[in-house]
């Protein structure tokens, strides 16, 4: 029996009393993945990206482990909810236009102490001030550095279009703009190198592309390490007591952690290890989060149909954004149909061994987005469900 077949047998036994559709997290794999992130971070704390987890119980579990500290959130409303729930260090990783949220933040000492917001433009400071509604608490601010690699005098850009702050001088000017404005305090710098941390460099069947990605990433790592160090020096000249410099992601943990200028690592997807992380040379994790769909039809030889399954992930459209049939091994989509809103035909030799009601296990393309489809996660240890916990959605929250 292969390791994957053994996992399927465990998951089927653990959930035999449950009807699909359902989602699980294998805690043995989750914990092993957490340990691997800590090992790669080499002593620097890991701030957990909540968008890649979207479950308070699992956020609490991982933050209870040595080597993890703080949350990187994705909306202001989520940040405030987490802070009210007892999480004491929440970094909002994206700018917000939530007026009501800023008013609540500026009026509550506990929230203002726990939540740090992201800015990269003086206009955002004016927006926050206009939203204060009389609140006088000092707002903690993090500055975001654009990590993209610019070549040929800026005519070629590699990396996400995020912050407009690219040079050390630009980031330092933004720090001075914050310092001049009462009611704000710069406490950190964030720089997420998505073109390094979030792009696989060993794509099956595409050796030339994989080599090109590795060359690009090596060049980008060198350029960013030098520029990030210069940015930190420039900002510390304005803000000597800077609390943190956050960088990295699941695919770049060990490389980013090696930079002296970086004080903490951001990561989250490496806990669940979705399918997009199968194509990396930098690490190898264990799939921990899966969902199961029930067989509801047997249209013919070598074909079964499962209920639902059309859960595409965000990003540039493509087959790599689709969930992948994982267990039993050997199933694949009908190329004429793909995964459907209500039903999904699957083809392959294992189909003939599946009965009505049997579970087919899938891996989502990305990590936390799976939790937008399910109210609960069944936590599996060995071959038993040991707990069932709500996702954000199960607690009544869909922040985006």
């Amino acid at each position: 029996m292969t390791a994957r077949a053994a996992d399927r047998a465990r998951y089927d036994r653990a959930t035999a009393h449950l009807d699909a559709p359902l989602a699980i997290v294998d805690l043995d794999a989750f914990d092993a993945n957490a340990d691997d992130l800590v090992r790669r971070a080499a002593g620097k704390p890991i701030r957990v990206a909540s968008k890649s987890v979207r479950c308070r119980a699992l956020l609490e579990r991982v933050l209870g482990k040595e080597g993890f500290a703080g949350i990187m959130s994705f909306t202001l409303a989520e940040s405030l909810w987490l802070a009210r729930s007892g999480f004491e260090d929440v970094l909002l990783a994206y700018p917000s236009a939530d007026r009501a949220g800023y008013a609540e933040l500026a009026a509550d000492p506990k929230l203002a102490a726990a939540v740090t917001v992201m800015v990269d433009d003086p206009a955002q400071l004016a927006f926050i001030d206009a939203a204060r509604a009389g609140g006088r608490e000092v707002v903690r601010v993090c500055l975001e550095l654009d990590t993209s690699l610019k070549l040929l005098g800026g005519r070629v850009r590699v990396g996400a279009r995020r912050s407009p702050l690219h040079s050390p001088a630009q980031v330092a000017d933004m720090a001075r703009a914050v310092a001049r404005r009462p009611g704000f305090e710069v406490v950190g710098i964030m720089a997420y190198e998505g073109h390094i941390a979030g792009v696989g460099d060993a794509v099956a069947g595409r050796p030339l592309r994989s080599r090109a990605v590795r060359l690009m990433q090596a060049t980008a790592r060198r350029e960013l390490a030098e520029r990030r160090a210069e940015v930190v020096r420039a900002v510390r000249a304005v803000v000597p007591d800077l609390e943190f410099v956050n960088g990295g992601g699941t695919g770049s943990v060990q490389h980013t952690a090696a930079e002296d200028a970086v004080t903490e690592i951001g990561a989250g997807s490496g806990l669940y290890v979705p399918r997009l992380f199968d194509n990396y040379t930098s690490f190898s994790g264990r799939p921990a989060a899966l969902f199961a769909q029930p067989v509801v039809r047997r249209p013919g030889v070598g074909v079964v149909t499962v209920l639902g399954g059309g859960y595409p992930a965000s990003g540039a459209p493509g087959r790599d954004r689709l969930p992948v049939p994982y267990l039993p091994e050997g199933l694949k989509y009908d190329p004429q149909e793909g995964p459907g809103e209500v039903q999904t035909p699957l083809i392959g030799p294992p189909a003939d061994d599946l009965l009505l009601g049997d579970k087919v296990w899938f891996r989502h393309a990305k990590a936390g987005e799976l939790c937008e489809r399910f109210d609960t996660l069944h936590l599996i240890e060995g071959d038993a469900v040991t707990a069932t916990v709500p996702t954000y959605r199960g607690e009544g929250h869909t922040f985006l």
Side-chain angles (χ1 to χ4, degrees):
M1 180 182 291
T2 67
R4 280 175 59 174
D7 282 341
R8 181 196 175 200
R10 286 197 301 115
Y11 300 152
D12 283 347
R13 285 196 299 271
T15 63
H17 61 296
L18 300 171
D19 288 334
L22 58 84
I24 65 167
V25 170
D26 182 335
L27 289 180
D28 294 333
F30 181 90
D31 290 342
N33 293 334
D35 292 343
D36 184 63
L37 287 169
V38 171
R39 177 189 61 79
R40 291 196 288 138
K44 292 190 176 176
I46 299 170
R47 185 180 291 273
V48 184
S50 64
K51 75 179 182 65
S52 300
V53 179
R54 303 194 201 199
C55 171
R56 276 201 302 169
L58 289 175
L59 288 173
E60 290 169 352
R61 183 183 184 91
V62 72
L63 286 171
K65 295 178 177 294
E66 186 174 352
F68 290 86
I71 290 177
M72 179 180 289
S73 58
F74 59 98
T75 74
L76 182 54
E78 180 213 12
S79 305
L80 300 175
W81 176 65
L82 290 172
R84 287 193 299 268
S85 301
F87 295 94
E88 297 179 348
D89 181 6
V90 183
L91 169 63
L92 174 56
Y94 308 86
S96 177
D98 180 353
R99 292 183 177 88
Y102 282 130
E104 186 176 355
L105 177 68
D108 188 317
K110 178 182 176 182
L111 296 179
V115 175
T116 301
V117 303
M118 192 66 60
V119 300
D120 55 35
D121 187 328
Q124 293 160 347
L125 302 176
F127 185 96
I128 295 170
D129 266 341
R132 282 178 180 269
R136 296 182 178 276
E137 294 300 320
V138 173
V139 175
R140 293 167 52 87
V141 164
C142 180
L143 309 179
E144 181 167 4
L145 168 67
D146 169 38
T147 65
S148 63
L149 175 64
K150 294 185 178 181
L151 304 171
L152 301 177
R155 293 190 295 275
V156 175
R157 174 195 181 102
V158 181
R161 297 181 182 275
R162 292 177 65 117
S163 170
L165 306 178
H166 188 81
S167 70
Q170 288 175 316
V171 185
D173 284 345
M174 186 66 208
R176 280 187 282 271
V178 177
R180 287 193 298 266
R181 196 165 191 121
F184 295 91
E185 178 186 13
V186 175
V187 297
I189 299 171
M190 188 191 83
Y192 171 59
E193 52 265 47
H195 52 302
I196 302 171
V199 178
D201 63 348
V203 182
R206 305 189 69 178
L208 294 180
R209 173 180 169 80
S210 297
R211 173 185 269 186
V213 169
R214 288 194 291 272
L215 289 172
M216 175 276 292
Q217 290 179 337
T219 301
R221 280 197 300 269
R222 289 192 297 271
E223 185 276 337
L224 179 59
E226 294 177 5
R227 181 159 52 92
R228 180 152 43 196
E230 293 173 4
V231 166
V232 172
R233 284 194 294 270
V235 172
R236 286 195 184 278
V238 181
V239 187
D241 54 348
L242 199 66
E243 293 179 16
F244 65 85
V245 177
N246 181 282
T250 289
S252 71
V253 171
Q254 62 268 44
H255 300 296
T256 308
E259 296 182 33
D260 291 338
V262 174
T263 66
E264 64 175 40
I265 308 298
S269 296
L271 296 168
Y272 287 171
V273 186
R275 65 165 294 198
L276 281 179
F277 285 92
D278 287 348
N279 303 315
Y280 282 74
T281 58
S282 60
F283 83 107
S284 177
R286 292 172 56 184
L290 300 94
F291 67 92
Q293 304 295 111
V295 173
V296 293
R297 281 179 172 164
R298 295 171 50 86
V301 175
V303 186
V304 292
T305 301
V306 299
L307 183 70
Y311 305 156
S314 60
R319 291 189 62 82
D320 65 343
R321 301 291 148 167
L322 300 179
V324 62
Y326 184 61
L327 301 170
E329 299 179 67
L331 291 174
K332 60 183 180 179
Y333 294 123
D334 181 333
Q336 302 301 313
E337 295 195 49
E341 178 186 8
V342 178
Q343 66 172 28
T344 296
L346 298 169
I347 59 178
D352 293 329
D353 296 324
L354 291 169
L355 304 176
L356 294 181
D358 283 353
K359 297 179 177 76
V360 174
W361 297 90
F362 293 76
R363 293 172 65 201
H364 204 273
K366 297 183 75 174
E369 292 182 24
L370 167 66
C371 294
E372 298 300 331
R373 298 286 182 168
F374 293 91
D375 292 341
T376 58
L377 296 173
H378 300 286
L379 308 184
I380 291 180
E381 296 181 79
D383 59 359
V385 172
T386 56
T388 297
V389 296
T391 61
Y392 279 12
R393 169 177 160 163
E395 295 201 67
H397 296 288
T398 51
F399 294 108
L400 277 180

